[in-house]
Amino acid sequence: MLNCETGMGKTFDIGLERLTGGSGFSIGSAITTKNEDCAAQVGARAEASELDAIRGALRGTFFLETFGCQMNDHDSEKVAGVLLSRGYTQVESPDSASLILYNTCSIREKAAQKVFSRLGEFGLKQDEGRIIGVLGCVAQQEGEEIFRRAPWVSLVCGSASYSKLPELLARVEAGNQRVTGLDTDTDETFETPVTRRDNPWRAYLTIIEGCDKACSYCVVPYTRGPERSRGSDSILGEVRQLAELGYSEVQLLGQTVNSYADPTARKMRFSELLLAVAETPGLRRVRFTTSHPRDFTQDIVDAIDTQPKLCNHVHLPVQSGSTRVLRAMQRTYSREEYLEKIAMIRGAKRPISITTDIIVGFPGETDEDLAETLSLLDVVRYDAMFSFKYSPRPHTPSLKMSDAIPEEEKSRRLGILQEKQREIQAVRYATMVGERFELLVSGKSRRENQWSGHTSCHRVINFSSQEQALLGKYVQVVVTGATPNGLSGEQAP
Ligand code: SAM
Ligand code: SF4
């Protein structure tokens, strides 16, 4: 798949004259091509790259690699905005960068290890005069220990300190060797005047940062700090700006997005905010992730029912089907309470697709607990599932729990769980053959006349069409084929 979302479709959300601090450059065509096809964007990139070269000469070049979740992806879009506004130019390879940044994830051990292996690659190139920085969750988790393990690193900054990034970068640029931003005791959110979004049609927007829950396995409250909601007026202002720039889909983000608590005098509830965002002229779809089951309430379902622009998809991680394990995980709901939330969603007037996250092999999980998780899959019949082997994380209560499950046993359980979900998806997807969906087209295959896009309910469908220049457009597609992992179809009139 040639995917314009991740290829050359880089877009800026404001004019370059602001990026360069009013130096008079203009990048109008890069902004106005958001809804054109890939070819037009290539042209825009060509103009942009000439300007990039001028800006690069002013400051330097940066390479930014992102690991982990959508929130990290969007944090990186904002970090890139900060750097562009300081006169840096983004490059696609660390070899040609004067500043190399890794925005890291530590949710599972493997993700954290990847970062140290990347840093190791630079140990040998210390004398090349590059600045290397570690951002995000591993930065917060490991702190100054990173300087010990990789002395060639100059900047270590957790996400709760991103609002101080310009100041921290200024110190690094002035030659300071070990600059840190590790404070999590903050009520600030990371808002930038400039964001360099990767996708030209769908914009991410973080509305709540951090997490006040205390799931016993999860490092996020430690790495991202306490919950901080962004003001509704600022969110709605940015959404209006995004719609004016041609974005048709907005995805509101938060670790517990539905725990949103408006800090302004308007005190908008999350469901009110959803409705207000959806009313923005020009927007066609609004989605949100991730919802926490405890804070999932009827008014959110009612909002989806009354406003068709609110996508009919809810990601509602359950983690386990066993109340006993849920208690040990400190998830704050039982199996029965979770199923009540599912019944609430299933009671909506239009079908809402439900997806989830599950962890297997939590300390002390028995075969009976696993059987309860499998039976929960039978009851809920999720549209999709993200499944993980429990990974012990530093600074988490479950680290000290006894009854660890051996790795091979975790793998066995994961296999059983995934096979169960595969069977459920095979049946679910087969019933969709003949159904018609509206797709936002976001990918074009190398194969002639083959495209892909996603539905409001967040299913990806590969489809054929004789039309050209479909990227970023909304089309009707009829499903003609189904496998347990995906759907295919044809464009319908
Ligand atoms: N805030 C979301 C929630 O409450 O469901 C989850 C955010 S977390 C970044 C994404 C997923 O990673 C979680 O839903 C969980 O399934 C998984 N996860 C988190 N910590 C984990 C751990 N220590 N081991 C394995 N999976 C983990
Ligand atoms: Fe982690 Fe739980 Fe917060 Fe989700 S709700 S980010 S799993 S602590």
Side-chain angles (χ1 to χ4, degrees), residues 17-33:
E17 64 278 11
R18 282 180 68 192
L19 299 178
T20 52
S23 60
F25 295 126
S26 162
I27 196 172
S29 56
I31 296 169
T32 53
T33 51

Side-chain angles (χ1 to χ4, degrees), residues 107-108 217 255 317 319 331 357 359 388-389 391 393:
I107 199 83
R108 284 168 290 277
Y217 53 81
Q255 291 295 342
Q319 313 300 356
R331 280 295 284 182
D357 293 348
I359 298 174
F388 312 100
K389 290 189 274 183
S391 170
R393 306 310 300 129

Side-chain angles (χ1 to χ4, degrees), residues 107 210-222 224 227 254-256 259 290-293 317 319 329-331 357 359:
I107 199 83
C211 181
D212 277 353
K213 305 281 190 285
C215 303
S216 59
Y217 53 81
C218 184
V219 74
V220 167
Y222 181 85
R224 287 191 170 267
E227 228 168 70
Q255 291 295 342
T256 53
S259 313
T290 294
S291 296
H292 191 282
Q319 313 300 356
M329 288 178 163
Q330 294 171 198
R331 280 295 284 182
D357 293 348
I359 298 174

Side-chain angles (χ1 to χ4, degrees), residues 437-487:
F437 291 97
E438 184 192 72
L439 256 61
L440 167 56
V441 185
S442 53
K444 182 176 181 351
S445 168
R446 281 182 219 284
R447 285 181 21 233
E448 188 84 354
N449 303 327
Q450 292 295 315
W451 306 81
S452 73
H454 57 273
T455 63
S456 165
C457 54
H458 218 223
R459 287 191 192 98
V460 174
I461 305 182
N462 298 320
F463 68 99
S464 57
S465 168
Q466 300 308 315
E467 283 186 34
Q468 299 302 312
L470 286 181
L471 288 171
K473 292 191 177 154
Y474 288 81
V475 298
Q476 296 290 320
V477 166
V478 171
V479 176
T480 52
T483 68
N485 297 320
L487 297 171

